[in-house]
Amino acid sequence: MNKFIHILIIAATLSGGYLFAQCPRPSKVITPDYKNGWDENAQSKSSQLLPGDEYEMIFIAQAGIKYRVQASAGLKEFLEDNISFQLVVKEVNRIEEKGKVQYKSSEVILYDSELADKDDEAIIVTSKVQRLSIKVKVIREDFPATSLLCAVILIEAQKSQSTGLR
Amino acid sequence: MINKAFYFSSILFLFFTSCSSEQDEMMNIDETLLAMNDDEFQNNKPKSKIVYSIPSPNEQYDLLHSLTTALIPTVINPLSNSLNYSTNSKKALNFGVYISDVAYLMRYDQGRSVFLDYVSTLEKLGQDLDITKVYGEELINQVDEEGTDTKRLFKISSENYFSIYDQLIENKKGLELSLILSGSWIETMHILFTSSKKYNESAEVQGYIIDQRLVLENLIGFVESFGEDERIDPLMDYLRKIGNVYKKLKCEDSDLEIENSEGTVMLTGGTSCKFTSNSYIEMKSLIMEIRTSIIS
């Protein structure tokens, strides 16, 4: 029986994860907070993952727009506790030593759901356009290693009141 | 008689050898799969993946509208051109162009009848691209009902974009989606440049065009993630050419400052870039040239 499940999983993986029913749109899993001015952003994504898999999504944060990021994972029942995520910005620093110029790239974690106190949501606003990464991981302990799950990342956006556009 | 027997025995031979070789192959695959233990399975499955998101044209024009409220009706690709596109690549690219145009027109309050014209054209173009469930009677009724509410029409065009995206992913049409998103982005760039007018005439729109360099990086990442294909090669050449002009911009780095205020992370600083007169003209001409080759 286990071997049969393995075959199914491998077939699903080889076919790019399309063998099983598609994952739902993120807004079908996490309802956007329309009442408070948030709107679903087209950069939201859903994807099929195995427990322990890491998935990085690079999205564009436009200047002066406030973004809220939430994630969830599951099969039939989706829970925020099934998934952890980090919001990361890559910083490139110019370093000049003894006349030589070098560029060093480093990652700065802006939000980590595993370290967050209460709400599993990251809210961010930038004064200049940025490429931000959302790194998600389905928490392994909760599922058998062969369970193919849906992970959803909902990005909501609203025009920022405080910073203006530029 | 001998000939008939020869052909008959040949056919039988081919039939049995082809069946048995296929069976052997299947057996081998089965054995390989069944022989994998848990460790091997773990080693063979993908460990991580990167996906690239691209702002929708609706999001782009929402921002443009906050910078300039002037509509330029002549900037779009006429719907009559849709009859000229015969190959699937052209259809997909121009499907993207029209998706961008309709988002622009809806953000600038051009109303129901304009939207319905696009629904009709996109439905025809979409049929050959496996986009069949999006432009049905339900959408037409929805547009009819919301006819005078321009904000709602803009919202419908945005939801429409989500549906197209989902359907192409569901139908494993990554290549077509790549072409559609690229056509859409090139058209958006064309509209941004037209709205920006001459060098330094509209500094804010110009700044927004510079911001598009990051969208381009994601778009290239997205297209590349669907692998190499001869239908995508000319497009990748275009995108890389645009990337090369972006590399000519004058950029200055400032330290990225991160502040956390009442649960909101605020990022300030980072890289600032500017066009020179020459790089602006070069980029504008290149976008014009690429856009012309797509819509003609």
Side-chain angles (χ1 to χ4, degrees), chain B residues 147-162:
Chain B
T148 52
D149 187 342
T150 51
K151 278 186 184 168
R152 187 68 199 122
L153 287 177
F154 182 61
K155 177 98 177 141
I156 294 171
S157 72
S158 179
E159 286 163 357
N160 193 234
Y161 175 86
F162 292 158

PDB file of all heavy atoms in Angstrom, chain B residues 147-162:
ATOM      1  N   GLY B 147     -23.366  47.791 -15.087  1.00  0.00           N
ATOM      2  CA  GLY B 147     -23.089  48.734 -16.165  1.00  0.00           C
ATOM      3  C   GLY B 147     -22.648  50.135 -15.810  1.00  0.00           C
ATOM      4  O   GLY B 147     -21.721  50.673 -16.405  1.00  0.00           O
ATOM      5  N   THR B 148     -23.280  50.757 -14.821  1.00  0.00           N
ATOM      6  CA  THR B 148     -22.953  52.173 -14.557  1.00  0.00           C
ATOM      7  C   THR B 148     -21.920  52.343 -13.443  1.00  0.00           C
ATOM      8  O   THR B 148     -21.455  53.449 -13.204  1.00  0.00           O
ATOM      9  CB  THR B 148     -24.232  52.935 -14.153  1.00  0.00           C
ATOM     10  OG1 THR B 148     -24.862  52.208 -13.090  1.00  0.00           O
ATOM     11  CG2 THR B 148     -25.186  53.075 -15.327  1.00  0.00           C
ATOM     12  N   ASP B 149     -21.599  51.270 -12.775  1.00  0.00           N
ATOM     13  CA  ASP B 149     -20.654  51.353 -11.663  1.00  0.00           C
ATOM     14  C   ASP B 149     -19.234  51.099 -12.187  1.00  0.00           C
ATOM     15  O   ASP B 149     -18.807  49.958 -12.346  1.00  0.00           O
ATOM     16  CB  ASP B 149     -21.047  50.314 -10.597  1.00  0.00           C
ATOM     17  CG  ASP B 149     -20.220  50.448  -9.332  1.00  0.00           C
ATOM     18  OD1 ASP B 149     -19.147  51.086  -9.386  1.00  0.00           O
ATOM     19  OD2 ASP B 149     -20.655  49.914  -8.290  1.00  0.00           O
ATOM     20  N   THR B 150     -18.502  52.169 -12.453  1.00  0.00           N
ATOM     21  CA  THR B 150     -17.180  52.019 -13.087  1.00  0.00           C
ATOM     22  C   THR B 150     -16.171  51.314 -12.167  1.00  0.00           C
ATOM     23  O   THR B 150     -15.316  50.574 -12.641  1.00  0.00           O
ATOM     24  CB  THR B 150     -16.615  53.386 -13.512  1.00  0.00           C
ATOM     25  OG1 THR B 150     -16.690  54.269 -12.393  1.00  0.00           O
ATOM     26  CG2 THR B 150     -17.378  53.963 -14.675  1.00  0.00           C
ATOM     27  N   LYS B 151     -16.310  51.564 -10.863  1.00  0.00           N
ATOM     28  CA  LYS B 151     -15.388  50.885  -9.927  1.00  0.00           C
ATOM     29  C   LYS B 151     -15.618  49.384  -9.957  1.00  0.00           C
ATOM     30  O   LYS B 151     -14.685  48.595  -9.891  1.00  0.00           O
ATOM     31  CB  LYS B 151     -15.613  51.402  -8.502  1.00  0.00           C
ATOM     32  CG  LYS B 151     -14.895  52.712  -8.240  1.00  0.00           C
ATOM     33  CD  LYS B 151     -15.020  53.102  -6.791  1.00  0.00           C
ATOM     34  CE  LYS B 151     -14.364  54.469  -6.572  1.00  0.00           C
ATOM     35  NZ  LYS B 151     -14.681  55.029  -5.271  1.00  0.00           N
ATOM     36  N   ARG B 152     -16.873  49.020 -10.045  1.00  0.00           N
ATOM     37  CA  ARG B 152     -17.229  47.601 -10.061  1.00  0.00           C
ATOM     38  C   ARG B 152     -16.733  46.946 -11.359  1.00  0.00           C
ATOM     39  O   ARG B 152     -16.262  45.816 -11.347  1.00  0.00           O
ATOM     40  CB  ARG B 152     -18.755  47.483  -9.913  1.00  0.00           C
ATOM     41  CG  ARG B 152     -19.300  46.129  -9.738  1.00  0.00           C
ATOM     42  CD  ARG B 152     -18.967  45.435  -8.418  1.00  0.00           C
ATOM     43  NE  ARG B 152     -19.180  44.006  -8.593  1.00  0.00           N
ATOM     44  CZ  ARG B 152     -18.268  43.068  -8.406  1.00  0.00           C
ATOM     45  NH1 ARG B 152     -17.079  43.372  -7.958  1.00  0.00           N
ATOM     46  NH2 ARG B 152     -18.537  41.796  -8.633  1.00  0.00           N
ATOM     47  N   LEU B 153     -16.827  47.679 -12.463  1.00  0.00           N
ATOM     48  CA  LEU B 153     -16.342  47.133 -13.741  1.00  0.00           C
ATOM     49  C   LEU B 153     -14.836  46.888 -13.686  1.00  0.00           C
ATOM     50  O   LEU B 153     -14.330  45.888 -14.202  1.00  0.00           O
ATOM     51  CB  LEU B 153     -16.671  48.087 -14.895  1.00  0.00           C
ATOM     52  CG  LEU B 153     -18.137  48.140 -15.325  1.00  0.00           C
ATOM     53  CD1 LEU B 153     -18.327  49.178 -16.422  1.00  0.00           C
ATOM     54  CD2 LEU B 153     -18.625  46.775 -15.825  1.00  0.00           C
ATOM     55  N   PHE B 154     -14.134  47.821 -13.046  1.00  0.00           N
ATOM     56  CA  PHE B 154     -12.682  47.650 -12.891  1.00  0.00           C
ATOM     57  C   PHE B 154     -12.390  46.404 -12.053  1.00  0.00           C
ATOM     58  O   PHE B 154     -11.490  45.625 -12.359  1.00  0.00           O
ATOM     59  CB  PHE B 154     -12.093  48.902 -12.234  1.00  0.00           C
ATOM     60  CG  PHE B 154     -10.591  48.845 -12.082  1.00  0.00           C
ATOM     61  CD1 PHE B 154      -9.760  48.744 -13.190  1.00  0.00           C
ATOM     62  CD2 PHE B 154     -10.004  48.905 -10.825  1.00  0.00           C
ATOM     63  CE1 PHE B 154      -8.377  48.690 -13.052  1.00  0.00           C
ATOM     64  CE2 PHE B 154      -8.627  48.851 -10.681  1.00  0.00           C
ATOM     65  CZ  PHE B 154      -7.813  48.748 -11.788  1.00  0.00           C
ATOM     66  N   LYS B 155     -13.196  46.223 -11.031  1.00  0.00           N
ATOM     67  CA  LYS B 155     -13.045  45.054 -10.143  1.00  0.00           C
ATOM     68  C   LYS B 155     -13.311  43.756 -10.934  1.00  0.00           C
ATOM     69  O   LYS B 155     -12.594  42.771 -10.778  1.00  0.00           O
ATOM     70  CB  LYS B 155     -14.032  45.200  -8.982  1.00  0.00           C
ATOM     71  CG  LYS B 155     -14.074  44.082  -8.007  1.00  0.00           C
ATOM     72  CD  LYS B 155     -13.253  44.378  -6.774  1.00  0.00           C
ATOM     73  CE  LYS B 155     -13.382  43.252  -5.758  1.00  0.00           C
ATOM     74  NZ  LYS B 155     -12.149  42.966  -5.092  1.00  0.00           N
ATOM     75  N   ILE B 156     -14.346  43.798 -11.782  1.00  0.00           N
ATOM     76  CA  ILE B 156     -14.659  42.598 -12.580  1.00  0.00           C
ATOM     77  C   ILE B 156     -13.483  42.270 -13.511  1.00  0.00           C
ATOM     78  O   ILE B 156     -13.105  41.112 -13.670  1.00  0.00           O
ATOM     79  CB  ILE B 156     -15.962  42.787 -13.394  1.00  0.00           C
ATOM     80  CG1 ILE B 156     -17.164  42.895 -12.437  1.00  0.00           C
ATOM     81  CG2 ILE B 156     -16.183  41.649 -14.376  1.00  0.00           C
ATOM     82  CD1 ILE B 156     -18.467  43.300 -13.123  1.00  0.00           C
ATOM     83  N   SER B 157     -12.887  43.315 -14.103  1.00  0.00           N
ATOM     84  CA  SER B 157     -11.768  43.052 -15.011  1.00  0.00           C
ATOM     85  C   SER B 157     -10.593  42.456 -14.238  1.00  0.00           C
ATOM     86  O   SER B 157      -9.835  41.641 -14.755  1.00  0.00           O
ATOM     87  CB  SER B 157     -11.353  44.313 -15.776  1.00  0.00           C
ATOM     88  OG  SER B 157     -10.690  45.227 -14.940  1.00  0.00           O
ATOM     89  N   SER B 158     -10.456  42.845 -12.970  1.00  0.00           N
ATOM     90  CA  SER B 158      -9.397  42.295 -12.131  1.00  0.00           C
ATOM     91  C   SER B 158      -9.672  40.820 -11.800  1.00  0.00           C
ATOM     92  O   SER B 158      -8.782  39.972 -11.901  1.00  0.00           O
ATOM     93  CB  SER B 158      -9.310  43.129 -10.852  1.00  0.00           C
ATOM     94  OG  SER B 158      -8.326  42.629 -10.010  1.00  0.00           O
ATOM     95  N   GLU B 159     -10.923  40.534 -11.442  1.00  0.00           N
ATOM     96  CA  GLU B 159     -11.305  39.139 -11.127  1.00  0.00           C
ATOM     97  C   GLU B 159     -11.142  38.251 -12.365  1.00  0.00           C
ATOM     98  O   GLU B 159     -10.775  37.082 -12.281  1.00  0.00           O
ATOM     99  CB  GLU B 159     -12.751  39.087 -10.634  1.00  0.00           C
ATOM    100  CG  GLU B 159     -12.902  39.634  -9.217  1.00  0.00           C
ATOM    101  CD  GLU B 159     -14.351  39.972  -8.855  1.00  0.00           C
ATOM    102  OE1 GLU B 159     -15.225  39.826  -9.717  1.00  0.00           O
ATOM    103  OE2 GLU B 159     -14.565  40.405  -7.705  1.00  0.00           O
ATOM    104  N   ASN B 160     -11.439  38.863 -13.514  1.00  0.00           N
ATOM    105  CA  ASN B 160     -11.297  38.190 -14.790  1.00  0.00           C
ATOM    106  C   ASN B 160      -9.851  37.745 -15.024  1.00  0.00           C
ATOM    107  O   ASN B 160      -9.576  36.632 -15.488  1.00  0.00           O
ATOM    108  CB  ASN B 160     -11.728  39.207 -15.855  1.00  0.00           C
ATOM    109  CG  ASN B 160     -11.938  38.589 -17.182  1.00  0.00           C
ATOM    110  OD1 ASN B 160     -11.356  39.048 -18.145  1.00  0.00           O
ATOM    111  ND2 ASN B 160     -12.745  37.572 -17.256  1.00  0.00           N
ATOM    112  N   TYR B 161      -8.926  38.613 -14.638  1.00  0.00           N
ATOM    113  CA  TYR B 161      -7.495  38.310 -14.753  1.00  0.00           C
ATOM    114  C   TYR B 161      -7.145  37.095 -13.879  1.00  0.00           C
ATOM    115  O   TYR B 161      -6.447  36.186 -14.316  1.00  0.00           O
ATOM    116  CB  TYR B 161      -6.695  39.540 -14.331  1.00  0.00           C
ATOM    117  CG  TYR B 161      -5.193  39.341 -14.285  1.00  0.00           C
ATOM    118  CD1 TYR B 161      -4.412  39.502 -15.431  1.00  0.00           C
ATOM    119  CD2 TYR B 161      -4.554  38.987 -13.107  1.00  0.00           C
ATOM    120  CE1 TYR B 161      -3.036  39.315 -15.389  1.00  0.00           C
ATOM    121  CE2 TYR B 161      -3.185  38.793 -13.049  1.00  0.00           C
ATOM    122  CZ  TYR B 161      -2.433  38.967 -14.191  1.00  0.00           C
ATOM    123  OH  TYR B 161      -1.077  38.779 -14.143  1.00  0.00           O
ATOM    124  N   PHE B 162      -7.673  37.069 -12.639  1.00  0.00           N
ATOM    125  CA  PHE B 162      -7.431  35.926 -11.746  1.00  0.00           C
ATOM    126  C   PHE B 162      -7.919  34.625 -12.392  1.00  0.00           C
ATOM    127  O   PHE B 162      -7.250  33.600 -12.349  1.00  0.00           O
ATOM    128  CB  PHE B 162      -8.186  36.076 -10.412  1.00  0.00           C
ATOM    129  CG  PHE B 162      -7.696  37.181  -9.511  1.00  0.00           C
ATOM    130  CD1 PHE B 162      -8.519  37.724  -8.537  1.00  0.00           C
ATOM    131  CD2 PHE B 162      -6.410  37.674  -9.619  1.00  0.00           C
ATOM    132  CE1 PHE B 162      -8.078  38.732  -7.696  1.00  0.00           C
ATOM    133  CE2 PHE B 162      -5.949  38.689  -8.781  1.00  0.00           C
ATOM    134  CZ  PHE B 162      -6.789  39.223  -7.819  1.00  0.00           C
TER     135      PHE B 162
END
